[in-house]
Amino acid sequence: MKFTIKKEILMEALNKVSKAISSKNVIPVLAGIKFNLTKKRLTLTASDNDITIQTFIDCDNEDIITVKEEGSIIIQGKYILDIVRKLPDKYINIEVVDELKILVYTEKSEFNLNGISESEYPNIDLGESKNHIELSASLLKEIVNQTAFATSIDENKAILNGINFNLIGDILECNATDSYRLSRKVIKLDKISKENQNIVIPSRNLVEFTKIIDDSTDIVEIHIFNNKILFKYQNILFQSRLINGTYPNTSNLLPKEHLVKIHFNINEFYDVVDRVSILTSDKDKNIVTLETDGNNLIMKSSSAEIGRVEEKMVITKDQDIDVKVSFSSKYMMDALRSFNKETVELYFVGEIKPILLKSDEDDSLTQLVLPIRTY
């Protein structure tokens, strides 16, 4: 294998695939990046058995890449990344000599690395399914941004470590919960799916994928299999395992009726919750109390060691009913940050019933926060 490539193009590709390299991996070959060069394209692959990322660079533009000899090799990911990042040259040469020796050189620099035979790399199937669904990259990023924060980080609740994608016909319902809050995003697809799907994708993996795609209208193809999912976007293939198990029926958590609906400016309400939470402490679960007095909303918090705070803001309600409820300020602020709108409605069902958040500007997103008893 021998080629010359523009540094910025190689660096971009390495940054994408390197997200699949884990420093904790006990299989040495998976600390490497597989380079496969043909006259048509250079393909880079990295995997940690949990996710696999593959990207390619077409070889039809000599200003970007010049192929001198085809071949395959595995190069240790950490070192090739650092070398390419720190070389100041516009173009970099990479050559395999004596089968497993790799030269990375420019006019003034030369690095000699030990490679690994590509035959030692695990056989990874990145095949596509016959039926797939399509979302724009910007919409997929929005789904993940509005739900991933609500997933559980408790490894004993593995099924809640992921985002539930429930596809029925042309409706995609995405749920995330850690048992104390729920985030739900419902999307109507352009096409009706031939097969219904109900899967759970590790939240961390989805977040990693959204970091390497643009916020654009370009299409992401989603190919679903029994135990894995493949995302295809531009020149990237991103494959993740699925979490086994049955996701809880979160529809039961959503209140069907409410006593009163409170309407407010989301930024103003967020700032009030943020300020009132200053005097809470972690051991108190950042608890704040909300109550209404006519069209005034009063937010309070107190700590025996620190002190107390009270703040008011003007709101509108659909019923002349006053409410009082306590909740985690962190969970409420997380939920509020997920809305891209100016206003939001808080649906109050009862002092110990879930608090529902929706926006009349966007009915696709629902946030639910469980109240906390303070007595």
Side-chain angles (χ1 to χ4, degrees):
M1 185 175 78
K2 185 178 181 182
F3 63 98
T4 302
I5 189 166
K6 203 171 188 177
K7 173 191 166 172
E8 64 182 75
I9 299 296
L10 179 58
M11 195 69 238
E12 183 183 352
L14 287 171
N15 281 334
K16 288 173 182 173
V17 299
S18 64
K19 293 185 183 299
I21 297 175
S22 170
S23 57
K24 300 173 184 176
N25 214 305
V26 294
I27 307 173
V29 72
L30 293 183
I33 296 172
K34 182 180 175 182
F35 282 64
N36 184 50
L37 180 66
T38 67
K39 290 216 164 43
K40 291 186 176 180
R41 63 174 46 170
L42 170 65
T43 303
L44 273 59
T45 307
S47 179
D48 65 358
N49 278 337
D50 192 40
I51 62 172
T52 299
I53 305 174
Q54 186 174 92
T55 187
F56 63 85
I57 299 162
D58 285 326
C59 299
D60 54 1
N61 185 343
E62 291 193 355
D63 287 338
I64 292 176
I65 184 168
T66 304
V67 179
K68 295 166 185 173
E69 189 177 323
E70 296 178 325
S72 294
I73 195 76
I74 296 159
I75 307 176
Q76 293 179 65
K78 177 184 183 302
Y79 298 109
I80 190 65
L81 267 164
D82 283 348
I83 291 167
V84 174
R85 184 184 294 116
K86 294 178 180 180
L87 281 172
D89 307 77
K90 187 177 180 181
Y91 288 93
I92 294 172
N93 302 287
I94 297 179
E95 180 180 352
V96 177
V97 293
D98 296 334
E99 293 188 357
L100 295 179
K101 298 292 182 185
I102 303 153
L103 294 181
V104 181
Y105 60 95
T106 62
E107 192 175 328
K108 295 179 181 177
S109 305
E110 181 177 308
F111 291 83
N112 289 267
L113 296 174
N114 295 324
I116 302 171
S117 170
E118 62 101 15
S119 64
E120 293 187 33
Y121 206 75
N123 184 25
I124 299 168
D125 179 12
L126 292 172
E128 300 170 19
S129 64
K130 292 179 181 177
N131 302 314
H132 66 269
I133 59 175
E134 296 182 354
L135 296 174
S136 69
S138 58
L139 180 54
L140 182 60
K141 284 175 84 87
E142 183 177 73
I143 289 170
V144 175
N145 289 339
Q146 292 180 329
T147 58
F149 67 87
T151 54
S152 174
I153 57 173
D154 184 350
E155 292 184 2
N156 293 320
K157 300 177 180 177
I159 196 71
L160 301 185
N161 295 165
I163 301 175
N164 172 224
F165 275 46
N166 188 13
L167 174 64
I168 301 173
D170 60 351
I171 301 297
L172 176 63
E173 184 185 281
C174 305
N175 296 292
T177 183
D178 61 2
S179 299
Y180 303 103
R181 53 183 167 175
L182 167 68
S183 179
R184 168 173 291 189
K185 180 81 170 177
V186 180
I187 300 295
K188 186 173 172 62
L189 303 175
D190 293 335
K191 297 177 184 176
I192 296 175
S193 173
K194 293 179 181 177
E195 295 179 44
N196 294 343
Q197 302 280 358
N198 195 337
I199 59 171
V200 184
I201 310 164
S203 174
R204 186 188 65 198
N205 297 356
L206 270 174
V207 170
E208 287 298 336
F209 178 58
T210 59
K211 287 178 182 176
I212 60 176
I213 65 176
D214 303 323
D215 192 3
S216 70
T217 56
D218 288 0
I219 293 298
V220 178
E221 291 183 11
I222 303 175
H223 300 262
I224 300 170
F225 301 88
N226 288 335
N227 59 355
K228 64 181 184 178
I229 186 166
L230 176 73
F231 297 93
K232 183 180 180 183
Y233 173 76
Q234 294 179 355
N235 64 340
I236 302 167
L237 292 177
F238 184 103
Q239 187 164 276
S240 165
R241 69 177 176 88
L242 296 177
I243 299 175
N244 293 326
T246 303
Y247 202 78
N249 182 7
T250 53
S251 297
N252 297 333
L253 298 173
L254 299 173
K256 302 292 188 289
E257 298 174 348
H258 66 276
L259 292 175
V260 61
K261 178 170 73 172
I262 303 170
H263 183 91
F264 47 76
N265 176 278
I266 197 166
N267 291 327
E268 186 183 355
F269 183 62
Y270 181 92
D271 289 344
V272 170
V273 177
D274 193 16
R275 286 192 293 270
V276 172
S277 69
I278 291 172
L279 298 192
T280 63
S281 58
D282 286 338
K283 68 178 182 180
D284 291 327
K285 300 178 183 176
N286 307 107
I287 298 172
V288 299
T289 299
L290 174 158
E291 56 184 278
T292 62
D293 180 9
N295 284 334
N296 284 319
L297 181 146
I298 304 156
M299 195 85 73
K300 304 174 183 177
S301 76
S302 62
S303 166
E305 299 88 1
I306 306 168
R308 65 188 303 275
V309 58
E310 180 177 306
E311 188 161 342
K312 294 180 181 179
M313 68 177 279
V314 177
I315 52 155
T316 58
K317 297 186 294 186
D318 69 341
Q319 301 284 343
D320 188 20
I321 299 173
D322 284 324
V323 304
K324 182 177 180 180
V325 65
S326 298
F327 50 81
S328 160
S329 58
K330 178 188 182 303
Y331 286 1
M332 181 61 73
M333 289 163 69
D334 284 345
L336 292 168
R337 272 198 301 269
S338 71
F339 289 93
N340 303 322
K341 307 301 176 184
E342 289 187 3
T343 58
V344 73
E345 285 79 43
L346 184 153
Y347 293 81
F348 180 80
V349 185
E351 197 169 338
I352 57 170
K353 299 286 187 179
I355 306 160
L356 211 61
L357 294 164
K358 291 177 75 75
S359 173
D360 58 6
E361 301 172 75
D362 176 17
D363 64 358
S364 71
L365 179 65
T366 303
Q367 297 289 351
L368 182 148
V369 177
L370 290 184
I372 297 173
R373 289 178 187 257
T374 55
Y375 55 86

